[in-house]
Short mmCIF file of all heavy atoms in Angstrom, two decimals:
data_model
loop_
_atom_site.label_atom_id
_atom_site.label_comp_id
_atom_site.label_asym_id
_atom_site.label_seq_id
_atom_site.Cartn_x
_atom_site.Cartn_y
_atom_site.Cartn_z
N MET G 138 158.17 256.43 133.69
CA MET G 138 159.60 256.24 133.56
C MET G 138 160.15 257.28 132.59
O MET G 138 159.58 257.53 131.55
CB MET G 138 159.87 254.83 133.04
CG MET G 138 161.34 254.53 132.90
SD MET G 138 161.65 252.84 132.39
CE MET G 138 161.51 252.00 133.95
N ILE G 139 161.23 257.86 132.97
CA ILE G 139 161.84 258.92 132.16
C ILE G 139 163.16 258.41 131.59
O ILE G 139 164.01 257.90 132.33
CB ILE G 139 162.08 260.19 133.00
CG1 ILE G 139 160.74 260.73 133.53
CG2 ILE G 139 162.81 261.24 132.19
CD1 ILE G 139 160.89 261.87 134.50
N PHE G 140 163.28 258.54 130.29
CA PHE G 140 164.53 258.17 129.63
C PHE G 140 165.33 259.44 129.36
O PHE G 140 164.81 260.40 128.80
CB PHE G 140 164.26 257.44 128.31
CG PHE G 140 163.62 256.11 128.50
CD1 PHE G 140 162.25 255.95 128.33
CD2 PHE G 140 164.38 255.02 128.88
CE1 PHE G 140 161.66 254.72 128.52
CE2 PHE G 140 163.78 253.78 129.06
CZ PHE G 140 162.42 253.63 128.89
N ILE G 141 166.55 259.42 129.76
CA ILE G 141 167.41 260.56 129.51
C ILE G 141 168.45 260.16 128.48
O ILE G 141 169.16 259.17 128.65
CB ILE G 141 168.10 261.03 130.81
CG1 ILE G 141 167.03 261.46 131.82
CG2 ILE G 141 169.07 262.17 130.52
CD1 ILE G 141 167.58 261.80 133.17
N SER G 142 168.50 260.92 127.43
CA SER G 142 169.43 260.60 126.35
C SER G 142 170.84 261.04 126.74
O SER G 142 171.04 262.10 127.33
CB SER G 142 168.99 261.33 125.08
OG SER G 142 169.97 261.16 124.09
N ALA G 143 171.78 260.22 126.38
CA ALA G 143 173.18 260.56 126.66
C ALA G 143 173.76 261.44 125.57
O ALA G 143 174.86 261.95 125.70
CB ALA G 143 174.00 259.30 126.79
N VAL G 144 173.02 261.62 124.49
CA VAL G 144 173.52 262.43 123.38
C VAL G 144 173.13 263.88 123.62
O VAL G 144 171.97 264.19 123.85
CB VAL G 144 172.94 261.93 122.04
CG1 VAL G 144 173.39 262.81 120.88
CG2 VAL G 144 173.32 260.49 121.81
N ASN G 145 174.08 264.74 123.55
CA ASN G 145 173.81 266.17 123.68
C ASN G 145 173.27 266.69 122.35
O ASN G 145 173.95 266.63 121.35
CB ASN G 145 175.10 266.90 124.05
CG ASN G 145 174.86 268.37 124.33
OD1 ASN G 145 173.77 268.88 124.07
ND2 ASN G 145 175.88 269.03 124.85
N PRO G 146 172.04 267.22 122.33
CA PRO G 146 171.48 267.68 121.04
C PRO G 146 172.22 268.87 120.47
O PRO G 146 172.15 269.12 119.27
CB PRO G 146 170.04 268.05 121.40
CG PRO G 146 170.04 268.25 122.86
CD PRO G 146 171.12 267.38 123.43
N LEU G 147 172.93 269.60 121.28
CA LEU G 147 173.67 270.76 120.78
C LEU G 147 174.96 270.35 120.09
O LEU G 147 175.51 271.08 119.28
CB LEU G 147 173.97 271.74 121.91
CG LEU G 147 172.73 272.34 122.57
CD1 LEU G 147 173.13 273.22 123.74
CD2 LEU G 147 171.90 273.11 121.58
N LYS G 148 175.47 269.16 120.40
CA LYS G 148 176.71 268.71 119.78
C LYS G 148 176.44 267.48 118.92
O LYS G 148 177.19 266.53 118.93
CB LYS G 148 177.74 268.38 120.85
CG LYS G 148 178.24 269.60 121.59
CD LYS G 148 179.35 269.23 122.54
CE LYS G 148 179.89 270.47 123.20
NZ LYS G 148 180.98 270.17 124.12
N SER G 149 175.36 267.50 118.19
CA SER G 149 174.99 266.38 117.34
C SER G 149 175.98 266.24 116.19
O SER G 149 176.49 267.22 115.66
CB SER G 149 173.58 266.61 116.80
OG SER G 149 173.28 265.61 115.87
N SER G 150 176.24 265.01 115.81
CA SER G 150 177.20 264.77 114.73
C SER G 150 176.50 264.53 113.40
O SER G 150 177.08 263.96 112.50
CB SER G 150 178.09 263.59 115.08
OG SER G 150 177.28 262.44 115.18
N VAL G 151 175.25 264.94 113.29
CA VAL G 151 174.52 264.79 112.04
C VAL G 151 175.05 265.80 111.03
O VAL G 151 175.13 266.98 111.31
CB VAL G 151 173.01 265.00 112.25
CG1 VAL G 151 172.27 264.95 110.92
CG2 VAL G 151 172.46 263.98 113.22
N SER G 152 175.44 265.28 109.86
CA SER G 152 175.95 266.20 108.85
C SER G 152 174.95 266.29 107.70
O SER G 152 174.40 265.29 107.26
CB SER G 152 177.30 265.74 108.33
OG SER G 152 177.15 264.48 107.71
N LEU G 153 174.72 267.47 107.24
CA LEU G 153 173.80 267.69 106.13
C LEU G 153 174.53 267.46 104.82
O LEU G 153 175.73 267.76 104.71
CB LEU G 153 173.25 269.11 106.17
CG LEU G 153 172.41 269.45 107.41
CD1 LEU G 153 172.06 270.92 107.40
CD2 LEU G 153 171.17 268.60 107.45
N PRO G 154 173.83 266.92 103.82
CA PRO G 154 174.48 266.75 102.52
C PRO G 154 174.79 268.10 101.89
O PRO G 154 174.04 269.04 102.03
CB PRO G 154 173.44 265.98 101.70
CG PRO G 154 172.15 266.22 102.38
CD PRO G 154 172.45 266.45 103.83
N LYS G 155 175.91 268.13 101.22
CA LYS G 155 176.31 269.38 100.59
C LYS G 155 176.20 269.24 99.07
O LYS G 155 176.60 268.25 98.49
CB LYS G 155 177.75 269.72 100.97
CG LYS G 155 177.88 270.02 102.44
CD LYS G 155 179.29 270.24 102.86
CE LYS G 155 179.31 270.53 104.35
NZ LYS G 155 180.56 270.21 104.97
N PHE G 156 175.60 270.25 98.46
CA PHE G 156 175.42 270.25 97.02
C PHE G 156 176.10 271.48 96.45
O PHE G 156 176.08 272.55 97.05
CB PHE G 156 173.94 270.30 96.65
CG PHE G 156 173.14 269.15 97.18
CD1 PHE G 156 172.31 269.32 98.26
CD2 PHE G 156 173.24 267.91 96.60
CE1 PHE G 156 171.57 268.27 98.75
CE2 PHE G 156 172.50 266.85 97.08
CZ PHE G 156 171.67 267.02 98.17
N SER G 157 176.63 271.33 95.26
CA SER G 157 177.18 272.48 94.58
C SER G 157 176.14 273.04 93.63
O SER G 157 175.19 272.35 93.26
CB SER G 157 178.45 272.10 93.82
OG SER G 157 178.11 271.26 92.74
N LEU G 158 176.32 274.27 93.21
CA LEU G 158 175.38 274.91 92.29
C LEU G 158 175.32 274.15 90.97
O LEU G 158 174.26 274.00 90.37
CB LEU G 158 175.78 276.36 92.07
CG LEU G 158 174.84 277.16 91.17
CD1 LEU G 158 173.45 277.26 91.78
CD2 LEU G 158 175.41 278.54 90.91
N ALA G 159 176.46 273.63 90.52
CA ALA G 159 176.49 272.90 89.25
C ALA G 159 175.68 271.62 89.32
O ALA G 159 175.15 271.16 88.31
CB ALA G 159 177.93 272.57 88.88
N GLU G 160 175.55 271.02 90.51
CA GLU G 160 174.73 269.81 90.66
C GLU G 160 173.25 270.15 90.69
O GLU G 160 172.42 269.38 90.20
CB GLU G 160 175.09 269.09 91.96
CG GLU G 160 176.43 268.41 91.94
CD GLU G 160 176.75 267.81 93.29
OE1 GLU G 160 176.62 268.52 94.31
OE2 GLU G 160 177.14 266.63 93.32
N ILE G 161 172.91 271.28 91.26
CA ILE G 161 171.50 271.64 91.45
C ILE G 161 170.92 272.33 90.23
O ILE G 161 169.74 272.16 89.92
CB ILE G 161 171.36 272.53 92.70
CG1 ILE G 161 171.66 271.70 93.94
CG2 ILE G 161 169.99 273.14 92.79
CD1 ILE G 161 171.58 272.47 95.21
N LEU G 162 171.73 273.08 89.50
CA LEU G 162 171.22 273.93 88.42
C LEU G 162 170.41 273.18 87.35
O LEU G 162 169.31 273.64 87.00
CB LEU G 162 172.37 274.70 87.78
CG LEU G 162 171.95 275.83 86.84
CD1 LEU G 162 171.13 276.86 87.58
CD2 LEU G 162 173.17 276.47 86.21
N PRO G 163 170.87 272.04 86.82
CA PRO G 163 170.03 271.35 85.82
C PRO G 163 168.68 270.93 86.37
O PRO G 163 167.66 271.03 85.69
CB PRO G 163 170.86 270.13 85.44
CG PRO G 163 172.24 270.44 85.85
CD PRO G 163 172.16 271.37 87.01
N TRP G 164 168.63 270.47 87.63
CA TRP G 164 167.36 270.08 88.23
C TRP G 164 166.48 271.29 88.48
O TRP G 164 165.25 271.22 88.31
CB TRP G 164 167.60 269.33 89.55
CG TRP G 164 168.15 267.97 89.31
CD1 TRP G 164 169.43 267.55 89.44
CD2 TRP G 164 167.41 266.83 88.84
NE1 TRP G 164 169.54 266.23 89.09
CE2 TRP G 164 168.31 265.77 88.72
CE3 TRP G 164 166.08 266.62 88.51
CZ2 TRP G 164 167.92 264.51 88.29
CZ3 TRP G 164 165.69 265.36 88.08
CH2 TRP G 164 166.62 264.32 87.98
N ALA G 165 167.07 272.40 88.87
CA ALA G 165 166.29 273.62 89.08
C ALA G 165 165.67 274.09 87.77
O ALA G 165 164.50 274.49 87.74
CB ALA G 165 167.17 274.70 89.69
N ILE G 166 166.43 274.02 86.68
CA ILE G 166 165.90 274.42 85.37
C ILE G 166 164.78 273.46 84.95
O ILE G 166 163.73 273.88 84.48
CB ILE G 166 167.03 274.46 84.33
CG1 ILE G 166 167.98 275.62 84.65
CG2 ILE G 166 166.47 274.58 82.92
CD1 ILE G 166 169.24 275.62 83.81
N PHE G 167 165.01 272.17 85.14
CA PHE G 167 164.01 271.16 84.77
C PHE G 167 162.71 271.36 85.55
O PHE G 167 161.62 271.37 84.97
CB PHE G 167 164.59 269.76 85.03
CG PHE G 167 163.64 268.64 84.76
CD1 PHE G 167 163.20 268.38 83.48
CD2 PHE G 167 163.18 267.85 85.80
CE1 PHE G 167 162.31 267.35 83.23
CE2 PHE G 167 162.30 266.82 85.56
CZ PHE G 167 161.87 266.56 84.28
N ILE G 168 162.82 271.55 86.85
CA ILE G 168 161.62 271.74 87.67
C ILE G 168 160.95 273.07 87.32
O ILE G 168 159.72 273.16 87.27
CB ILE G 168 161.99 271.64 89.16
CG1 ILE G 168 162.34 270.19 89.49
CG2 ILE G 168 160.85 272.11 90.04
CD1 ILE G 168 162.94 269.98 90.85
N GLY G 169 161.75 274.09 87.02
CA GLY G 169 161.17 275.36 86.61
C GLY G 169 160.39 275.24 85.31
O GLY G 169 159.29 275.79 85.18
N LEU G 170 160.94 274.48 84.35
CA LEU G 170 160.22 274.27 83.09
C LEU G 170 158.93 273.47 83.31
O LEU G 170 157.90 273.77 82.70
CB LEU G 170 161.12 273.55 82.09
CG LEU G 170 162.25 274.39 81.50
CD1 LEU G 170 163.16 273.52 80.65
CD2 LEU G 170 161.69 275.53 80.69
N LEU G 171 159.00 272.46 84.19
CA LEU G 171 157.79 271.68 84.49
C LEU G 171 156.73 272.57 85.13
O LEU G 171 155.54 272.47 84.79
CB LEU G 171 158.11 270.52 85.44
CG LEU G 171 158.70 269.28 84.82
CD1 LEU G 171 158.91 268.22 85.90
CD2 LEU G 171 157.82 268.72 83.74
N LEU G 172 157.14 273.44 86.05
CA LEU G 172 156.18 274.35 86.68
C LEU G 172 155.57 275.30 85.66
O LEU G 172 154.37 275.55 85.67
CB LEU G 172 156.86 275.14 87.80
CG LEU G 172 157.10 274.38 89.09
CD1 LEU G 172 157.91 275.23 90.06
CD2 LEU G 172 155.78 273.98 89.73
N MET G 173 156.41 275.83 84.77
CA MET G 173 155.89 276.76 83.76
C MET G 173 154.93 276.03 82.82
O MET G 173 153.90 276.59 82.43
CB MET G 173 157.03 277.39 82.97
CG MET G 173 157.82 278.38 83.80
SD MET G 173 159.03 279.39 82.97
CE MET G 173 159.46 278.53 81.53
N LEU G 174 155.26 274.79 82.46
CA LEU G 174 154.37 274.01 81.60
C LEU G 174 153.04 273.74 82.31
O LEU G 174 151.96 273.86 81.70
CB LEU G 174 155.04 272.69 81.20
CG LEU G 174 154.41 271.89 80.09
CD1 LEU G 174 154.50 272.66 78.78
CD2 LEU G 174 155.08 270.54 79.97
N GLY G 175 153.11 273.39 83.59
CA GLY G 175 151.89 273.16 84.37
C GLY G 175 151.06 274.41 84.48
O GLY G 175 149.83 274.38 84.33
N ILE G 176 151.70 275.55 84.75
CA ILE G 176 150.97 276.82 84.85
C ILE G 176 150.35 277.17 83.51
O ILE G 176 149.22 277.65 83.45
CB ILE G 176 151.90 277.93 85.37
CG1 ILE G 176 152.20 277.69 86.84
CG2 ILE G 176 151.27 279.31 85.17
CD1 ILE G 176 153.26 278.60 87.40
N TYR G 177 151.07 276.89 82.41
CA TYR G 177 150.50 277.16 81.10
C TYR G 177 149.23 276.33 80.89
O TYR G 177 148.18 276.87 80.51
CB TYR G 177 151.50 276.86 79.98
CG TYR G 177 150.84 276.82 78.64
CD1 TYR G 177 150.46 278.00 78.02
CD2 TYR G 177 150.52 275.61 78.04
CE1 TYR G 177 149.79 277.96 76.80
CE2 TYR G 177 149.86 275.57 76.83
CZ TYR G 177 149.50 276.74 76.23
OH TYR G 177 148.83 276.70 75.05
N PHE G 178 149.32 275.01 81.13
CA PHE G 178 148.16 274.16 80.84
C PHE G 178 147.00 274.46 81.77
O PHE G 178 145.84 274.40 81.36
CB PHE G 178 148.54 272.68 80.92
CG PHE G 178 149.14 272.18 79.66
CD1 PHE G 178 150.46 271.75 79.63
CD2 PHE G 178 148.41 272.14 78.49
CE1 PHE G 178 151.03 271.29 78.46
CE2 PHE G 178 148.97 271.68 77.31
CZ PHE G 178 150.28 271.27 77.30
N VAL G 179 147.27 274.79 83.02
CA VAL G 179 146.18 275.06 83.95
C VAL G 179 145.61 276.46 83.72
O VAL G 179 144.40 276.66 83.73
CB VAL G 179 146.66 274.90 85.41
CG1 VAL G 179 145.61 275.39 86.37
CG2 VAL G 179 147.00 273.46 85.69
N GLY G 180 146.47 277.42 83.47
CA GLY G 180 146.01 278.80 83.49
C GLY G 180 145.75 279.45 82.17
O GLY G 180 144.92 280.36 82.07
N VAL G 181 146.44 279.05 81.11
CA VAL G 181 146.40 279.84 79.88
C VAL G 181 145.96 279.03 78.67
O VAL G 181 145.63 279.60 77.64
CB VAL G 181 147.80 280.46 79.62
CG1 VAL G 181 147.73 281.49 78.52
CG2 VAL G 181 148.36 281.10 80.88
N GLU G 182 145.95 277.72 78.76
CA GLU G 182 145.66 276.90 77.59
C GLU G 182 144.18 276.98 77.25
O GLU G 182 143.38 276.12 77.64
CB GLU G 182 146.07 275.45 77.85
CG GLU G 182 146.60 274.72 76.64
CD GLU G 182 145.54 274.20 75.70
OE1 GLU G 182 144.37 274.15 76.08
OE2 GLU G 182 145.91 273.85 74.57
N GLN G 183 143.80 278.04 76.55
CA GLN G 183 142.40 278.24 76.20
C GLN G 183 142.32 279.30 75.11
O GLN G 183 143.07 280.27 75.13
CB GLN G 183 141.61 278.70 77.42
CG GLN G 183 140.14 278.93 77.16
CD GLN G 183 139.44 279.51 78.38
OE1 GLN G 183 140.07 280.02 79.28
NE2 GLN G 183 138.12 279.42 78.38
N GLY G 184 141.45 279.10 74.16
CA GLY G 184 141.19 280.11 73.15
C GLY G 184 142.39 280.39 72.26
O GLY G 184 142.96 279.48 71.66
N ALA G 185 142.79 281.67 72.17
CA ALA G 185 143.85 282.06 71.25
C ALA G 185 145.21 281.49 71.63
O ALA G 185 146.08 281.33 70.78
CB ALA G 185 143.94 283.59 71.20
N THR G 186 145.44 281.19 72.90
CA THR G 186 146.74 280.66 73.32
C THR G 186 146.75 279.14 73.40
O THR G 186 147.70 278.56 73.90
CB THR G 186 147.12 281.24 74.69
OG1 THR G 186 146.11 280.91 75.63
CG2 THR G 186 147.29 282.76 74.62
N ALA G 187 145.72 278.49 72.92
CA ALA G 187 145.61 277.04 73.04
C ALA G 187 146.51 276.34 72.02
O ALA G 187 146.61 276.76 70.87
CB ALA G 187 144.17 276.61 72.83
N ILE G 188 147.18 275.31 72.45
CA ILE G 188 147.98 274.47 71.56
C ILE G 188 147.08 273.41 70.92
O ILE G 188 147.14 273.16 69.73
CB ILE G 188 149.13 273.78 72.34
CG1 ILE G 188 150.15 274.81 72.80
CG2 ILE G 188 149.80 272.74 71.46
CD1 ILE G 188 151.26 274.22 73.64
N PHE G 189 146.23 272.81 71.74
CA PHE G 189 145.35 271.74 71.27
C PHE G 189 143.97 272.31 70.95
O PHE G 189 143.46 273.16 71.65
CB PHE G 189 145.23 270.64 72.33
CG PHE G 189 146.55 270.04 72.70
CD1 PHE G 189 147.18 270.37 73.89
CD2 PHE G 189 147.17 269.14 71.84
CE1 PHE G 189 148.40 269.81 74.23
CE2 PHE G 189 148.38 268.59 72.17
CZ PHE G 189 149.00 268.92 73.37
N LYS G 190 143.39 271.80 69.87
CA LYS G 190 142.05 272.23 69.49
C LYS G 190 141.03 271.69 70.47
O LYS G 190 141.24 270.65 71.08
CB LYS G 190 141.71 271.72 68.09
CG LYS G 190 142.10 272.64 66.98
CD LYS G 190 141.50 272.17 65.68
CE LYS G 190 141.47 273.33 64.70
NZ LYS G 190 140.83 272.98 63.46
N GLY G 191 139.93 272.40 70.58
CA GLY G 191 138.88 271.95 71.46
C GLY G 191 139.12 272.39 72.90
O GLY G 191 140.05 273.13 73.19
N ALA G 192 138.27 271.93 73.77
CA ALA G 192 138.33 272.35 75.17
C ALA G 192 138.69 271.19 76.09
O ALA G 192 138.43 271.24 77.28
CB ALA G 192 136.98 272.93 75.58
N TYR G 193 139.32 270.15 75.53
CA TYR G 193 139.62 268.98 76.35
C TYR G 193 140.60 269.30 77.47
O TYR G 193 140.39 268.93 78.63
CB TYR G 193 140.16 267.85 75.49
CG TYR G 193 139.15 267.31 74.51
CD1 TYR G 193 139.28 267.53 73.15
CD2 TYR G 193 138.04 266.60 74.98
CE1 TYR G 193 138.34 267.06 72.27
CE2 TYR G 193 137.09 266.12 74.10
CZ TYR G 193 137.24 266.36 72.74
OH TYR G 193 136.30 265.89 71.87
N VAL G 194 141.67 270.00 77.14
CA VAL G 194 142.67 270.34 78.17
C VAL G 194 142.04 271.28 79.20
O VAL G 194 142.22 271.11 80.40
CB VAL G 194 143.92 270.97 77.53
CG1 VAL G 194 144.89 271.43 78.59
CG2 VAL G 194 144.59 269.99 76.59
N HIS G 195 141.29 272.25 78.70
CA HIS G 195 140.66 273.21 79.60
C HIS G 195 139.70 272.49 80.57
O HIS G 195 139.71 272.76 81.77
CB HIS G 195 139.89 274.26 78.79
CG HIS G 195 139.13 275.21 79.63
ND1 HIS G 195 139.73 276.30 80.24
CD2 HIS G 195 137.84 275.25 79.99
CE1 HIS G 195 138.82 276.95 80.93
NE2 HIS G 195 137.67 276.35 80.80
N GLU G 196 138.91 271.59 80.04
CA GLU G 196 137.96 270.88 80.90
C GLU G 196 138.68 269.94 81.86
O GLU G 196 138.24 269.74 82.98
CB GLU G 196 136.96 270.09 80.04
CG GLU G 196 136.04 270.97 79.23
CD GLU G 196 135.19 271.91 80.08
OE1 GLU G 196 134.85 271.54 81.23
OE2 GLU G 196 134.89 273.01 79.60
N PHE G 197 139.80 269.36 81.41
CA PHE G 197 140.54 268.43 82.26
C PHE G 197 141.12 269.14 83.48
O PHE G 197 141.16 268.59 84.57
CB PHE G 197 141.65 267.75 81.45
CG PHE G 197 142.37 266.68 82.20
CD1 PHE G 197 141.76 265.47 82.46
CD2 PHE G 197 143.66 266.89 82.65
CE1 PHE G 197 142.41 264.49 83.15
CE2 PHE G 197 144.33 265.90 83.35
CZ PHE G 197 143.70 264.70 83.60
N VAL G 198 141.60 270.37 83.31
CA VAL G 198 142.23 271.10 84.42
C VAL G 198 141.30 272.17 84.99
O VAL G 198 141.75 273.04 85.72
CB VAL G 198 143.56 271.73 83.97
CG1 VAL G 198 144.55 270.68 83.54
CG2 VAL G 198 143.34 272.74 82.87
N HIS G 199 140.02 272.07 84.68
CA HIS G 199 139.10 273.14 85.04
C HIS G 199 139.01 273.39 86.54
O HIS G 199 139.05 274.54 87.00
CB HIS G 199 137.72 272.82 84.47
CG HIS G 199 136.79 273.97 84.50
ND1 HIS G 199 135.59 273.93 85.14
CD2 HIS G 199 136.91 275.22 84.00
CE1 HIS G 199 134.99 275.10 85.01
NE2 HIS G 199 135.77 275.90 84.34
N ASP G 200 138.93 272.33 87.34
CA ASP G 200 138.83 272.52 88.79
C ASP G 200 140.11 273.11 89.35
O ASP G 200 140.07 273.97 90.24
CB ASP G 200 138.51 271.20 89.48
CG ASP G 200 137.11 270.72 89.16
OD1 ASP G 200 136.29 271.55 88.72
OD2 ASP G 200 136.84 269.52 89.33
N SER G 201 141.26 272.68 88.83
CA SER G 201 142.53 273.26 89.27
C SER G 201 142.59 274.73 88.93
O SER G 201 143.09 275.54 89.70
CB SER G 201 143.70 272.54 88.60
OG SER G 201 143.63 271.18 88.84
N ARG G 202 142.08 275.06 87.78
CA ARG G 202 142.06 276.44 87.33
C ARG G 202 141.28 277.32 88.29
O ARG G 202 141.74 278.39 88.70
CB ARG G 202 141.42 276.48 85.94
CG ARG G 202 141.46 277.76 85.23
CD ARG G 202 140.77 277.58 83.88
NE ARG G 202 140.86 278.77 83.12
CZ ARG G 202 141.67 278.92 82.07
NH1 ARG G 202 142.41 277.92 81.69
NH2 ARG G 202 141.70 280.04 81.43
N HIS G 203 140.12 276.86 88.70
CA HIS G 203 139.31 277.63 89.65
C HIS G 203 139.96 277.67 91.01
O HIS G 203 139.94 278.70 91.69
CB HIS G 203 137.90 277.05 89.74
CG HIS G 203 137.03 277.49 88.62
ND1 HIS G 203 136.31 278.64 88.66
CD2 HIS G 203 136.79 276.92 87.43
CE1 HIS G 203 135.64 278.76 87.52
NE2 HIS G 203 135.92 277.73 86.76
N MET G 204 140.55 276.55 91.43
CA MET G 204 141.17 276.50 92.75
C MET G 204 142.34 277.46 92.84
O MET G 204 142.57 278.09 93.86
CB MET G 204 141.64 275.07 93.05
CG MET G 204 142.14 274.88 94.45
SD MET G 204 142.76 273.24 94.69
CE MET G 204 144.38 273.41 93.94
N LEU G 205 143.10 277.61 91.75
CA LEU G 205 144.27 278.48 91.76
C LEU G 205 143.92 279.93 91.45
O LEU G 205 144.79 280.79 91.48
CB LEU G 205 145.31 277.97 90.77
CG LEU G 205 145.92 276.62 91.15
CD1 LEU G 205 146.81 276.12 90.03
CD2 LEU G 205 146.70 276.73 92.44
N GLY G 206 142.67 280.20 91.12
CA GLY G 206 142.23 281.58 90.95
C GLY G 206 142.47 282.16 89.58
O GLY G 206 142.44 283.39 89.42
N PHE G 207 142.70 281.34 88.57
CA PHE G 207 142.84 281.88 87.22
C PHE G 207 141.46 282.28 86.70
O PHE G 207 140.48 281.60 86.97
CB PHE G 207 143.46 280.83 86.29
CG PHE G 207 144.92 280.63 86.49
CD1 PHE G 207 145.38 279.56 87.22
CD2 PHE G 207 145.83 281.52 85.97
CE1 PHE G 207 146.73 279.37 87.42
CE2 PHE G 207 147.18 281.34 86.16
CZ PHE G 207 147.62 280.27 86.90
N PRO G 208 141.39 283.37 85.95
CA PRO G 208 140.09 283.76 85.41
C PRO G 208 139.62 282.73 84.39
O PRO G 208 140.41 282.22 83.60
CB PRO G 208 140.37 285.11 84.73
CG PRO G 208 141.83 285.15 84.53
CD PRO G 208 142.46 284.30 85.58
N CYS G 209 138.34 282.43 84.45
CA CYS G 209 137.84 281.36 83.59
C CYS G 209 136.58 281.81 82.88
O CYS G 209 136.59 282.12 81.73
CB CYS G 209 137.59 280.12 84.44
SG CYS G 209 137.16 278.68 83.49
N HIS G 210 135.47 281.82 83.59
CA HIS G 210 134.21 282.18 82.96
C HIS G 210 133.36 282.95 83.94
O HIS G 210 133.67 283.04 85.10
CB HIS G 210 133.45 280.94 82.49
CG HIS G 210 133.33 279.87 83.52
ND1 HIS G 210 132.36 279.86 84.48
CD2 HIS G 210 134.12 278.79 83.78
CE1 HIS G 210 132.50 278.80 85.25
NE2 HIS G 210 133.57 278.15 84.86
ZN1 LIG S 852 135.61 277.75 84.90
#
């Protein structure tokens, strides 16, 4: 059995939500900071650039570090 839709897909009345730059900008900055923080902890938090003493953070994100291709050991 074949169902034929009466709705023309070319004249769909679906409207996309519209956002202004002022609405998106704070979220873009927030997400950018989260990404930079994540990249820091996964890729650079070791040795001279470490915030926390010891290797706990490094060991916690070690597999992610290797998966993303950051130099490690
Ligand atoms: Zn490693």
Side-chain angles (χ1 to χ4, degrees):
M138 181 176 279
I139 298 173
F140 293 100
I141 299 174
S142 173
V144 177
N145 185 350
L147 298 176
K148 291 186 177 181
S149 174
S150 63
V151 175
S152 63
L153 297 174
K155 294 175 181 156
F156 301 104
S157 68
L158 182 63
E160 288 176 310
I161 291 179
L162 192 60
W164 288 102
I166 291 171
F167 177 66
I168 290 170
L170 288 174
L171 279 182
L172 284 174
M173 289 189 337
L174 193 66
I176 288 171
Y177 166 75
F178 276 115
V179 171
V181 191
E182 215 280 345
Q183 180 185 17
T186 58
I188 292 176
F189 301 104
K190 271 190 160 184
Y193 294 110
V194 175
H195 176 81
E196 294 300 329
F197 186 73
V198 297
H199 193 237
D200 291 342
S201 305
R202 187 180 184 106
H203 279 273
M204 187 183 80
L205 294 173
F207 285 100
C209 187
H210 50 84

